[in-house]
């Protein structure tokens, strides 16, 4: 069974790890958000692919869900001494990844090739594709002005009030090589419980990807990132509210209904099943909160079972 | 008294530190070899300016004479994991310098401006100019083929037999802004005891610099890097021998006589005074071996006294 998983950062990597453990990794392709990418100190930083790779490789900082386990920050101290902005704190082992990726790309490699090189070096055996090889940073309109997503998330700790989201240059971007074919050939497509607006949203905005998903709507199973109207981690709820979305499982259903036939919701939200059905999506009630590795694998197996029963 | 010092790496920084302590730093300009520069992992590494800056700032690793005191190597470990060549081992604090310099240059800064920014950030109050803003790597012809100087010095530990030295692209290079004016206005010019072929040689090869020195020949005092026919550190002696130069104070005099009126030699080499005089240079015998900071400052004061007596 060939599975494609669309994923963003920490939330995506949780179910991503479950899928990695539940499946033969050679059958698994991840399509990862790169709207979070940012150039820091001249280095191409690609947070979401790195979070996924570090998680699958078992080298992630398990407390934060991002960065490296046992990380040190000696370079950051030096950069601060040179007056460089260090609000986006990069650890030493993590910097090796950014230096390597940037060097590969300066030598002519695409982002796809750089990500593939990094995941292989760290021993990850599933395929990991960026949504696009083009640099399409997510820019936010806020009451403090226009800013890069990382600026909002990290420097400003999600405090500004959001009024709009733009994926800069997305109209000229193309899906990375292999993305459309993977979506076409997949036996099942999983939308991981990532932020619908800034993790899944950018992937959907790459010309051709949303249409490719729409063509596979019956095989697309989404896992709702909101539980009881709240995001488990990150600002999905705040951002959805500020942009006028219904902050609930039904609100997520409205965002995904055109390309996803099934929405897995948490037991807490069982009451939303009727509304979701009314939006022409099939609600599936499961325990979606993933605390342990066992939780992640269990939920992954439950999602995969939805494809198996359909065949 | 305005002083200009031409310097390469570790040997140059020794007398360089002596001058820094002996003079008002605002009267002091260093012109530093950048033929050692190399791009490693996409980062612009500028070894000789860094050695001088770290030395003057008091943050140099005093055992090696290069790199940072108390350095760690966490990034290098990560880079090695990605299969990158790490024979040119870069420490974490040192990497902050390379990342910062490279970022500044990608944003449009010249090498001069990057070096100026770095020395100011580390609290160095003398002016430090690269010989040129152009990248003119020193390439060696050897019995193992053509290689970058760092490849020869570090990876191959000076083992290959040398047959030639080229400063790649030097014919299109220009002295960095301020270099020619500093040489013209100096009350005294010091050639530090650096390798004549690969530290001082590249500086002399930048179009216009040798001519500018020739015009100030009476004010140019060189300190011989060989003592008793041997280099105190580094491969000056081996390199000079393999390229057919006389490995002695007189051999150095022959390389410098066209632009330097005075050669300071060690007491060990007093017997060479006659030969040096015959080459139309004034020999000055001093103790040139600098072990302690006091040695460096003492020799610097003795060199500076040569200018003072001339005026």
């Amino acid at each position: 069974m060939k599975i494609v998983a669309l994923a963003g950062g920490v939330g995506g990597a949780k179910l991503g790890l479950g899928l990695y453990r539940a499946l033969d990794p050679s059958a698994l392709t991840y399509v990862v958000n790169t709207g979070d990418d940012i150039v820091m100190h001249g280095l191409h930083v690609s947070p979401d692919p790195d979070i996924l790779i570090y998680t699958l490789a078992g080298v992630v900082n398990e407390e934060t869900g991002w960065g490296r386990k046992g990380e040190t920050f000696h370079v950051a101290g030096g950069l601060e001494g040179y007056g460089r902005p260090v609000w986006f704190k990069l650890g030493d082992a993590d910097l090796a990844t950014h230096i390597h990726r940037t060097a590969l790309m300066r030598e002519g490699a695409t982002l796809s090739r750089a990500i593939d090189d990094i995941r292989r070096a760290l021993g990850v055996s599933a395929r990991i594709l960026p949504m696009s090889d083009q640099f399409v940073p997510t820019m936010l309109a806020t009451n403090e002005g226009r800013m890069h997503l990382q600026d909002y998330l990290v420097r400003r700790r999600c405090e500004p009030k959001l009024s709009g989201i733009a994926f800069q240059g997305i109209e000229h971007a193309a899906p990375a090589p292999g993305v459309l074919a993977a979506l076409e050939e997949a036996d099942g497509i999983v939308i991981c419980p990532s932020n619908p607006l800034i993790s899944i949203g950018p992937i959907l905005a790459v010309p051709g990807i949303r249409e490719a998903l729409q063509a596979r709507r019956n095989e697309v199973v989404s896992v709702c990132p909101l539980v009881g109207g709240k995001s488990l981690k990150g600002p999905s709820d705040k951002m959805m509210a500020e942009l006028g979305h219904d902050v609930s499982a039904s609100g997520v259903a409205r965002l995904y209904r055109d390309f996803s036939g099934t929405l897995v919701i948490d037991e807490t939200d069982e009451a939303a099943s009727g509304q979701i059905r009314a939006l022409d999506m099939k609600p599936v009630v499961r325990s979606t909160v993933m605390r342990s590795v066992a939780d992640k694998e269990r939920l992954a197996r439950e999602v995969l079972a939805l494809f198996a029963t359909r065949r």
Side-chain angles (χ1 to χ4, degrees), chain A:
Chain A
M1 188 159 68
K2 284 189 194 170
I3 298 294
V4 173
L6 272 60
V10 177
K14 284 186 175 180
L15 187 59
L17 178 61
L19 292 165
Y20 191 69
R21 295 174 62 93
L23 279 170
D24 173 358
S26 69
L28 190 51
T29 299
Y30 299 91
V31 176
V32 185
N33 171 44
T34 55
D36 275 39
D37 286 20
I38 189 166
V39 175
M40 290 301 298
H41 317 303
L43 302 173
H44 187 117
V45 180
S46 203
D48 285 1
D50 286 356
I51 285 171
L52 182 64
I53 294 169
Y54 293 167
T55 300
L56 301 185
V59 299
V60 79
N61 177 337
E62 282 159 14
E63 268 143 66
T64 56
W66 50 269
R68 300 283 291 253
K69 206 181 276 189
E71 186 61 292
T72 54
F73 293 88
H74 294 129
V75 177
L79 292 171
E80 192 164 18
Y82 288 127
R84 299 204 73 84
V86 291
W87 52 264
F88 195 83
K89 209 166 181 183
L90 299 169
D92 296 324
D94 194 30
L95 266 163
T97 304
H98 310 319
I99 291 171
H100 180 52
R101 176 175 36 240
T102 306
L104 289 175
M105 292 175 73
R106 290 250 159 73
E107 291 156 13
T110 57
L111 179 59
S112 298
R113 231 210 67 205
I115 288 172
D116 198 59
D117 188 283
I118 291 163
R119 67 99 178 159
R120 284 174 193 272
L122 292 179
V124 172
S125 46
R127 191 160 65 136
I128 298 179
L129 305 177
M131 64 189 205
S132 174
D133 277 336
Q134 280 80 48
F135 181 62
V136 286
T138 299
M139 302 297 296
L140 305 183
T142 78
N143 63 334
E144 296 182 9
R146 184 177 153 89
M147 60 180 77
H148 188 286
L149 176 61
Q150 297 297 351
D151 213 348
Y152 170 87
L153 291 175
V154 183
R155 190 181 60 82
R156 291 295 299 119
R157 300 161 186 273
C158 306
E159 286 169 16
K161 190 168 184 302
L162 196 62
S163 55
I165 302 179
F167 310 117
Q168 193 178 293
I170 198 91
E171 62 279 13
H172 306 298
V179 169
L180 294 182
L183 293 174
E184 199 174 308
E185 294 160 10
D187 297 303
I189 298 169
V190 182
I191 312 293
C192 290
S194 298
N195 187 314
L197 304 179
I198 55 166
S199 292
I200 303 301
I203 306 176
L204 300 173
V206 178
I209 292 187
R210 190 169 201 126
E211 295 74 6
L213 289 167
Q214 286 167 341
R216 305 300 314 280
R217 185 176 187 277
N218 287 338
E219 283 75 42
V220 179
V221 172
S222 304
V223 178
C224 183
L226 297 181
V227 173
K230 296 209 176 304
S231 39
L232 294 167
K233 189 180 182 303
S236 295
D237 46 6
K238 177 177 185 287
M239 297 178 89
M240 286 179 70
E242 288 175 359
L243 291 182
H245 297 286
D246 174 13
V247 189
S248 68
S250 317
V252 173
R254 264 182 219 102
L255 291 170
Y256 288 175
R257 61 185 291 212
D258 64 300
F259 62 83
S260 178
T262 304
L263 184 65
V264 179
I265 59 174
D266 191 68
E267 290 156 352
T268 313
D269 296 312
E270 186 158 10
S273 297
Q275 287 174 287
I276 291 166
R277 214 172 282 116
L279 291 164
D280 193 27
M281 284 183 93
K282 181 186 163 195
V284 173
V285 179
R286 295 287 183 272
S287 172
T288 65
V289 183
M290 295 172 278
R291 289 200 183 84
S292 65
V293 173
D295 290 340
K296 295 168 195 174
E297 188 171 338
R298 190 252 319 138
L299 183 60
R301 290 190 187 280
E302 289 172 352
V303 168
L304 294 170
L306 300 173
F307 303 121
T309 54
R310 179 169 295 116
R311 294 187 347 144

